[in-house]
Amino acid sequence: MKNQNTHALLLTLVGGYILYIAYQLLDGLLAGKDEMPLAAAIAAIAVFVIGGIGVLIYAWKLWRDAGKQDETEPEDETTLK
């Protein structure tokens, strides 16, 4: 289905952006530019990494399921009559 593929694509972009935020936090922490306490920075990075990976896994499952539905749906509804 076209709509589910679009949804999966948008979720992939969101998941990638969440991982990018985690990378930016890690980069700031390693460069010493981070003003957050160390424990808070590590917790935030972990939350963003887990969240980003979770969104990407969900998007992949949605895309995979959309492909399975396309295979099972008939091409033309007039063939059912």
Side-chain angles (χ1 to χ4, degrees):
M1 299 183 95
K2 187 176 182 180
N3 191 22
Q4 283 186 337
N5 286 337
T6 304
H7 189 178
L9 175 65
L10 290 174
L11 284 172
T12 301
L13 294 173
V14 169
Y17 184 67
I18 292 171
L19 289 174
Y20 173 74
I21 292 172
Y23 169 75
Q24 290 295 317
L25 287 171
L26 180 64
D27 189 42
L29 180 67
L30 295 176
K33 300 176 187 175
D34 199 7
E35 296 178 7
M36 273 194 278
L38 181 62
I42 292 173
I45 292 167
V47 166
F48 279 110
V49 167
I50 292 169
I53 290 173
V55 171
L56 289 175
I57 290 171
Y58 177 70
W60 177 72
K61 287 182 179 181
L62 187 66
W63 175 76
R64 182 189 62 190
D65 292 343
K68 287 180 182 177
Q69 285 180 357
D70 285 343
E71 292 174 0
T72 59
E73 290 180 357
E75 291 291 324
D76 189 12
E77 291 183 13
T78 59
T79 58
L80 297 175
K81 293 181 181 179

